[in-house]
Amino acid sequence: MVDLSIKLGQMQLKNPVMTASGTFGYGVEYSDFMDVSRIGGIIVKGTTLRDRQGNPYPRMAETPSGMLNAVGLQNKGVDYFIKHIYPTVKDINTDIFVNVSGSTVEDYIETAERLNDLEKIPGIELNISCPNVKEGGMAFGTSCPSAAQVVKSVRRVYKKELMVKLSPNVTDISEIALAVEAQGADSISLINTLLGMAIDAEKRRPVLSTVTGGLSGPAVKPVALRMVWQVAKAVKIPVVGMGGIMNATDAIEFMLAGASAVQIGTANFIDPTITAKVIDGIEDYLVCHKLSSVRDLIGALEV
Amino acid sequence: MKKFMLDLVVKENKSLNNQYSLVILTSADPLPPMLPGQFAEVRVDNSPNTFLRRPISINFVDIEKNELWLLIQKVGEGTRKLCEASIGDSINVLLPLGNSFSFPANKEDKVLLVGGGVGIAPLLFWGSMLHANGYNCSFLLGGRSAENLLQLNDFAAFGTVYSTTEDGSYGEKGFVTQHSVLESQDFKAIYSCGPTPMMKAVAAYAGRKNIFCEVSLENTMACGFGACLCCVTDTTEGHLCVCTDGPVFNISKLKW
């Protein structure tokens, strides 16, 4: 019997496989296809202080080995989440994190404060990296002072697990990682989507209503692996790696690069049972390599 | 309705013409319940340049033969690959997805199903169910020319078929909304699926005449089951997902 549990800041997860925000709804969307309580942690859809309609259609473009999205944080706001969604997800037997986004520091603080009292929400993922909204989002995550400011402010009011999701659309991601670590983040997740673009040559128009969008899927995996490796070397807090994970081998690669856990995103759209397969695959790998704990993989890359 | 991920087997693949194929799938186990208007997300294997599943309407379900019919238009690489499926191939599908058409208010109501191009696909299944439930239904099918009119004999089994072609090569010349049957008969419910300009014209007609009308939309999707929020359409209730709140919408809800 191998041990799949991992430590993540203040928490222990039953296994290192989580779902990425914006790709797994609130978990319940997947419950016909699989037992979602098997998942190590579910990060629910990006939540903001007030309801957001998101960007106009079209919001998605299929690209080679990936996709661009420009959803723009469509959600019904934190109060709706607390009143209507939390009651239906709180009994899922896994750790549920809420991804929190905002246009101002005050938005982040107020949203985090309201989530602090939810007994079955052990943590939040602070999204300072959404590329698809005009204000806030990525703007906070692309400079050290603003990233530090928002993490510092939320840390003051939010007592539970504080994971901070970083943007890859920066010159040196390690600097941002160090800045948020210094302000009390418990863990760091990366990467959010890479800013990209698709053009319809026949129409001579951009495919997305917003012109640019966030690239995800296997196309971004090498970039994500490199950034996880860089960040894991730079910081002492746990790193959660994501970007194009399609199978257990991909997940193991992220852990070898230094991730304590992984998030699976776009792959859920193609195989809604992929998280279960990745968990099983990691277990098989550990047995095959005669390792007793998945923690033995973290940062085990030999360079 | 419970959704499933299944590996189905290709029982038949009929090329209807150089643009369309009818792929008939089956399974050793009974197929799950499906309703007219719902769709499947079909995985495209061995297709290196595509990444996501393809949403395909349920064209027909033959419960006795345990068959699921998918009418596929070759639009790009993914759909072309699906049209090349060989008998015995395994095809992975997520189904049944989305909502379904709703029955007309009264059994006596005359019902019209208006389709264009590959948009006729869900109307065959819906027509079969209306017919089986004793409704008087007619079909109005449009296409650019005769070769774009598909499955006419299949439709004829469930009601009278009227048609239009833009070049006049079959049926009345013009668009579906110009067909004489709209003036000669008094329809109480209209269901439509096809190109957006066609559905908008049908919706405008139904709106003017105050006729109950549902349309089935087709937006690009990533997941097909309400997780990604990519396929939204603008409605009186804000952005709604075509995959879960639709694909069937009453026209009164759409901001057309």
Side-chain angles (χ1 to χ4, degrees):
Chain A
M1 198 54 194
V2 292
D3 181 5
L4 286 177
S5 69
I6 58 115
K7 248 191 92 105
L8 190 70
Q10 312 177 22
M11 300 176 61
Q12 175 155 326
L13 302 188
K14 60 182 153 193
N15 67 61
V17 178
M18 309 171 84
T19 57
S21 176
T23 67
F24 212 70
Y26 297 98
V28 289
E29 290 83 348
Y30 284 79
S31 54
D32 276 354
F33 299 113
M34 65 172 290
D35 174 9
V36 296
S37 70
R38 285 201 62 198
I39 299 168
I42 294 174
I43 304 194
V44 303
K45 177 77 195 147
T47 301
T48 51
L49 185 58
R50 271 172 277 280
D51 104 295
R52 287 182 57 92
Q53 279 296 308
N55 292 320
Y57 179 85
R59 296 174 166 185
M60 194 275 288
E62 189 180 35
T63 58
S65 297
M67 59 177 274
L68 288 160
N69 90 79
V71 173
L73 295 172
Q74 179 176 329
N75 79 101
K76 292 185 171 165
V78 67
D79 292 335
Y80 184 92
F81 172 82
I82 292 168
K83 202 167 167 204
H84 300 284
I85 300 171
Y86 176 67
T88 67
V89 301
K90 70 178 174 49
D91 295 323
I92 299 176
N93 187 21
T94 184
D95 288 308
I96 301 204
F97 297 74
V98 178
N99 179 285
V100 171
S101 206
S103 304
T104 64
V105 173
E106 289 69 33
D107 281 2
Y108 279 99
I109 295 171
E110 212 168 325
T111 309
E113 265 183 325
R114 293 185 197 183
L115 292 167
N116 204 25
D117 298 331
L118 299 184
E119 189 197 337
K120 297 285 182 69
I121 303 291
I124 59 173
E125 180 181 57
L126 211 58
N127 182 359
I128 56 169
S129 45
C130 178
N132 294 324
V133 292
K134 281 200 188 100
E135 301 158 331
M138 193 169 87
F140 287 104
T142 50
S143 91
C144 289
S146 58
Q149 188 203 0
V150 67
V151 174
K152 184 180 182 181
S153 308
V154 171
R155 179 76 289 178
R156 242 185 252 138
V157 299
Y158 192 76
K159 304 302 169 201
K160 297 192 268 186
E161 174 77 14
L162 179 60
M163 193 188 314
V164 181
K165 187 170 183 177
L166 301 189
S167 170
N169 304 302
V170 294
T171 312
D172 182 356
I173 197 164
S174 319
E175 282 184 3
I176 312 276
L178 286 165
V180 306
E181 180 185 40
Q183 297 304 330
D186 294 307
S187 54
I188 288 171
S189 57
L190 72 152
I191 59 172
N192 204 321
T193 53
L194 274 157
L195 201 56
M197 179 168 172
I199 291 175
D200 183 330
E202 288 301 318
K203 296 180 184 159
R204 300 190 194 184
R205 293 186 63 84
V207 177
L208 300 173
S209 68
T210 48
V211 185
T212 62
L215 181 64
S216 64
V220 310
K221 197 189 101 179
V223 177
L225 263 181
R226 182 265 295 177
M227 289 189 163
V228 165
W229 180 67
Q230 286 179 320
V231 168
K233 279 196 301 180
V235 300
K236 293 185 183 65
I237 54 177
V239 171
V240 178
M242 82 193 92
I245 296 175
M246 299 296 285
N247 52 50
T249 309
D250 291 340
I252 290 162
E253 290 172 19
F254 274 89
M255 295 193 72
L256 293 172
S260 295
V262 296
Q263 291 181 17
I264 295 178
T266 307
N268 292 303
F269 302 151
I270 294 149
D271 181 352
T273 68
I274 190 67
T275 43
K277 288 171 184 163
V278 171
I279 296 164
D280 292 341
I282 292 172
E283 193 167 357
D284 291 346
Y285 178 92
L286 296 173
V287 171
C288 188
H289 289 263
K290 299 191 167 53
L291 296 168
S292 59
S293 165
V294 73
R295 295 186 296 278
D296 296 339
L297 295 177
I298 302 168
L301 184 72
E302 295 172 26
V303 184
Chain B
M1 285 171 80
K2 187 174 160 64
K3 301 181 275 287
F4 298 85
M5 180 162 71
L6 301 169
D7 287 313
L8 302 182
V9 179
V10 178
K11 186 175 176 183
E12 271 183 77
N13 184 355
K14 300 180 194 172
S15 176
L16 302 185
N17 59 40
N18 61 359
Q19 273 193 74
Y20 301 93
S21 289
L22 176 66
V23 178
I24 299 181
L25 302 172
T26 190
S27 167
D29 301 313
L31 292 167
M34 291 173 256
L35 292 172
Q38 292 188 302
F39 65 99
E41 272 276 37
V42 183
R43 200 177 71 203
V44 190
D45 293 340
N46 305 312
S47 175
N49 296 313
T50 63
F51 180 62
L52 299 165
R53 288 172 182 265
R54 293 293 181 270
I56 308 282
S57 287
I58 294 169
N59 179 218
F60 188 68
V61 174
D62 188 324
I63 295 174
E64 277 173 27
K65 293 184 182 167
N66 203 38
E67 288 178 353
L68 164 65
W69 294 18
L70 300 178
L71 178 66
I72 303 172
Q73 181 182 14
K74 295 171 194 171
V75 177
E77 274 189 66
T79 44
R80 203 170 301 128
K81 199 87 199 168
L82 291 174
C83 288
E84 288 168 5
S86 304
I87 292 171
D89 281 359
S90 176
I91 293 189
N92 184 275
V93 297
L94 305 178
L95 57 75
L97 304 176
N99 68 356
S100 53
F101 293 108
S102 41
F103 280 104
N106 302 303
K107 271 260 151 88
E108 305 73 39
D109 289 349
K110 276 193 175 173
V111 182
L112 184 68
L113 280 60
V114 186
V118 77
I120 64 157
L123 301 183
L124 182 65
F125 189 20
W126 182 220
S128 75
M129 187 172 271
L130 286 167
H131 178 76
N133 283 275
Y135 288 88
N136 175 354
C137 77
S138 304
F139 302 97
L140 174 53
L141 308 176
R144 215 159 279 160
S145 58
E147 74 253 26
N148 300 114
L149 295 174
L150 309 165
Q151 298 184 305
L152 294 178
N153 291 335
D154 295 304
F155 279 103
F158 308 120
T160 312
V161 180
Y162 304 93
S163 49
T164 59
T165 51
E166 286 169 45
D167 63 3
S169 56
Y170 193 92
E172 292 187 13
K173 186 173 176 176
F175 296 115
V176 285
T177 40
Q178 295 167 326
H179 198 282
S180 57
V181 72
L182 292 173
E183 295 310 315
S184 62
Q185 295 204 30
D186 187 20
F187 295 106
K188 299 286 189 214
I190 296 178
Y191 303 88
S192 183
C193 184
T196 304
M198 188 208 84
M199 288 193 289
K200 283 187 174 172
V202 171
Y205 170 84
R208 256 194 329 269
K209 298 254 175 176
N210 206 18
I211 299 171
F212 173 89
C213 181
E214 288 181 342
V215 294
S216 177
L217 305 187
E218 179 194 50
N219 280 4
T220 49
M221 295 176 184
C223 70
F225 45 87
C228 71
L229 310 188
C230 289
C231 66
V232 293
T233 192
D234 213 6
T235 73
T236 53
E237 296 167 23
H239 282 149
L240 293 181
C241 282
V242 166
C243 68
T244 46
D245 295 296
V248 179
F249 290 91
N250 190 296
I251 57 166
S252 63
K253 211 172 186 178
L254 294 172
K255 284 195 170 170
W256 274 3

PDB file of all heavy atoms in Angstrom, chain A residues 143-156:
ATOM      1  N   SER A 143       3.297  42.236 -11.327  1.00  0.00           N
ATOM      2  CA  SER A 143       4.360  43.047 -10.718  1.00  0.00           C
ATOM      3  C   SER A 143       4.506  42.654  -9.249  1.00  0.00           C
ATOM      4  O   SER A 143       3.508  42.326  -8.581  1.00  0.00           O
ATOM      5  CB  SER A 143       4.070  44.551 -10.851  1.00  0.00           C
ATOM      6  OG  SER A 143       3.360  45.030  -9.728  1.00  0.00           O
ATOM      7  N   CYS A 144       5.719  42.673  -8.764  1.00  0.00           N
ATOM      8  CA  CYS A 144       5.979  42.236  -7.385  1.00  0.00           C
ATOM      9  C   CYS A 144       5.244  43.096  -6.348  1.00  0.00           C
ATOM     10  O   CYS A 144       4.618  42.541  -5.439  1.00  0.00           O
ATOM     11  CB  CYS A 144       7.478  42.226  -7.093  1.00  0.00           C
ATOM     12  SG  CYS A 144       8.328  40.894  -7.949  1.00  0.00           S
ATOM     13  N   PRO A 145       5.266  44.437  -6.475  1.00  0.00           N
ATOM     14  CA  PRO A 145       4.591  45.238  -5.448  1.00  0.00           C
ATOM     15  C   PRO A 145       3.085  44.967  -5.384  1.00  0.00           C
ATOM     16  O   PRO A 145       2.520  44.840  -4.298  1.00  0.00           O
ATOM     17  CB  PRO A 145       4.872  46.688  -5.877  1.00  0.00           C
ATOM     18  CG  PRO A 145       6.074  46.605  -6.749  1.00  0.00           C
ATOM     19  CD  PRO A 145       6.013  45.283  -7.425  1.00  0.00           C
ATOM     20  N   SER A 146       2.412  44.866  -6.543  1.00  0.00           N
ATOM     21  CA  SER A 146       0.960  44.681  -6.501  1.00  0.00           C
ATOM     22  C   SER A 146       0.616  43.260  -6.051  1.00  0.00           C
ATOM     23  O   SER A 146      -0.366  43.057  -5.327  1.00  0.00           O
ATOM     24  CB  SER A 146       0.325  45.008  -7.852  1.00  0.00           C
ATOM     25  OG  SER A 146       0.872  44.210  -8.873  1.00  0.00           O
ATOM     26  N   ALA A 147       1.410  42.262  -6.450  1.00  0.00           N
ATOM     27  CA  ALA A 147       1.175  40.888  -5.986  1.00  0.00           C
ATOM     28  C   ALA A 147       1.336  40.829  -4.474  1.00  0.00           C
ATOM     29  O   ALA A 147       0.513  40.249  -3.759  1.00  0.00           O
ATOM     30  CB  ALA A 147       2.142  39.921  -6.676  1.00  0.00           C
ATOM     31  N   ALA A 148       2.391  41.482  -3.976  1.00  0.00           N
ATOM     32  CA  ALA A 148       2.650  41.494  -2.538  1.00  0.00           C
ATOM     33  C   ALA A 148       1.522  42.195  -1.795  1.00  0.00           C
ATOM     34  O   ALA A 148       1.057  41.725  -0.752  1.00  0.00           O
ATOM     35  CB  ALA A 148       3.985  42.195  -2.262  1.00  0.00           C
ATOM     36  N   GLN A 149       1.050  43.297  -2.355  1.00  0.00           N
ATOM     37  CA  GLN A 149       0.006  44.083  -1.683  1.00  0.00           C
ATOM     38  C   GLN A 149      -1.286  43.283  -1.525  1.00  0.00           C
ATOM     39  O   GLN A 149      -1.889  43.262  -0.450  1.00  0.00           O
ATOM     40  CB  GLN A 149      -0.273  45.359  -2.502  1.00  0.00           C
ATOM     41  CG  GLN A 149      -1.194  46.324  -1.790  1.00  0.00           C
ATOM     42  CD  GLN A 149      -1.912  47.267  -2.754  1.00  0.00           C
ATOM     43  OE1 GLN A 149      -1.716  47.191  -3.973  1.00  0.00           O
ATOM     44  NE2 GLN A 149      -2.739  48.133  -2.219  1.00  0.00           N
ATOM     45  N   VAL A 150      -1.712  42.599  -2.585  1.00  0.00           N
ATOM     46  CA  VAL A 150      -2.986  41.877  -2.498  1.00  0.00           C
ATOM     47  C   VAL A 150      -2.862  40.665  -1.571  1.00  0.00           C
ATOM     48  O   VAL A 150      -3.764  40.381  -0.776  1.00  0.00           O
ATOM     49  CB  VAL A 150      -3.540  41.522  -3.909  1.00  0.00           C
ATOM     50  CG1 VAL A 150      -2.693  40.513  -4.630  1.00  0.00           C
ATOM     51  CG2 VAL A 150      -4.971  41.010  -3.818  1.00  0.00           C
ATOM     52  N   VAL A 151      -1.726  39.990  -1.605  1.00  0.00           N
ATOM     53  CA  VAL A 151      -1.538  38.826  -0.722  1.00  0.00           C
ATOM     54  C   VAL A 151      -1.469  39.280   0.747  1.00  0.00           C
ATOM     55  O   VAL A 151      -2.100  38.684   1.627  1.00  0.00           O
ATOM     56  CB  VAL A 151      -0.276  38.031  -1.112  1.00  0.00           C
ATOM     57  CG1 VAL A 151      -0.005  36.915  -0.096  1.00  0.00           C
ATOM     58  CG2 VAL A 151      -0.429  37.437  -2.516  1.00  0.00           C
ATOM     59  N   LYS A 152      -0.751  40.353   0.973  1.00  0.00           N
ATOM     60  CA  LYS A 152      -0.634  40.891   2.334  1.00  0.00           C
ATOM     61  C   LYS A 152      -2.004  41.265   2.911  1.00  0.00           C
ATOM     62  O   LYS A 152      -2.340  40.932   4.055  1.00  0.00           O
ATOM     63  CB  LYS A 152       0.273  42.130   2.306  1.00  0.00           C
ATOM     64  CG  LYS A 152       0.569  42.735   3.665  1.00  0.00           C
ATOM     65  CD  LYS A 152       1.481  43.959   3.490  1.00  0.00           C
ATOM     66  CE  LYS A 152       1.839  44.573   4.839  1.00  0.00           C
ATOM     67  NZ  LYS A 152       2.698  45.750   4.666  1.00  0.00           N
ATOM     68  N   SER A 153      -2.814  41.927   2.081  1.00  0.00           N
ATOM     69  CA  SER A 153      -4.126  42.387   2.529  1.00  0.00           C
ATOM     70  C   SER A 153      -5.061  41.212   2.817  1.00  0.00           C
ATOM     71  O   SER A 153      -5.811  41.226   3.793  1.00  0.00           O
ATOM     72  CB  SER A 153      -4.770  43.284   1.462  1.00  0.00           C
ATOM     73  OG  SER A 153      -3.877  44.299   1.096  1.00  0.00           O
ATOM     74  N   VAL A 154      -5.037  40.215   1.950  1.00  0.00           N
ATOM     75  CA  VAL A 154      -5.928  39.069   2.151  1.00  0.00           C
ATOM     76  C   VAL A 154      -5.449  38.229   3.332  1.00  0.00           C
ATOM     77  O   VAL A 154      -6.255  37.735   4.121  1.00  0.00           O
ATOM     78  CB  VAL A 154      -6.035  38.232   0.854  1.00  0.00           C
ATOM     79  CG1 VAL A 154      -6.788  36.932   1.121  1.00  0.00           C
ATOM     80  CG2 VAL A 154      -6.721  39.035  -0.244  1.00  0.00           C
ATOM     81  N   ARG A 155      -4.130  38.103   3.474  1.00  0.00           N
ATOM     82  CA  ARG A 155      -3.572  37.309   4.565  1.00  0.00           C
ATOM     83  C   ARG A 155      -4.040  37.828   5.929  1.00  0.00           C
ATOM     84  O   ARG A 155      -4.313  37.066   6.843  1.00  0.00           O
ATOM     85  CB  ARG A 155      -2.031  37.327   4.479  1.00  0.00           C
ATOM     86  CG  ARG A 155      -1.302  36.571   5.565  1.00  0.00           C
ATOM     87  CD  ARG A 155      -1.331  35.043   5.401  1.00  0.00           C
ATOM     88  NE  ARG A 155      -2.609  34.401   5.636  1.00  0.00           N
ATOM     89  CZ  ARG A 155      -2.808  33.091   5.499  1.00  0.00           C
ATOM     90  NH1 ARG A 155      -1.829  32.281   5.075  1.00  0.00           N
ATOM     91  NH2 ARG A 155      -3.979  32.564   5.740  1.00  0.00           N
ATOM     92  N   ARG A 156      -4.196  39.161   6.011  1.00  0.00           N
ATOM     93  CA  ARG A 156      -4.624  39.773   7.264  1.00  0.00           C
ATOM     94  C   ARG A 156      -6.018  39.291   7.699  1.00  0.00           C
ATOM     95  O   ARG A 156      -6.299  39.138   8.871  1.00  0.00           O
ATOM     96  CB  ARG A 156      -4.644  41.298   7.113  1.00  0.00           C
ATOM     97  CG  ARG A 156      -3.660  41.967   8.057  1.00  0.00           C
ATOM     98  CD  ARG A 156      -3.803  43.480   7.973  1.00  0.00           C
ATOM     99  NE  ARG A 156      -2.662  44.068   7.293  1.00  0.00           N
ATOM    100  CZ  ARG A 156      -2.715  45.036   6.391  1.00  0.00           C
ATOM    101  NH1 ARG A 156      -3.883  45.515   6.002  1.00  0.00           N
ATOM    102  NH2 ARG A 156      -1.628  45.509   5.853  1.00  0.00           N
TER     103      ARG A 156
END
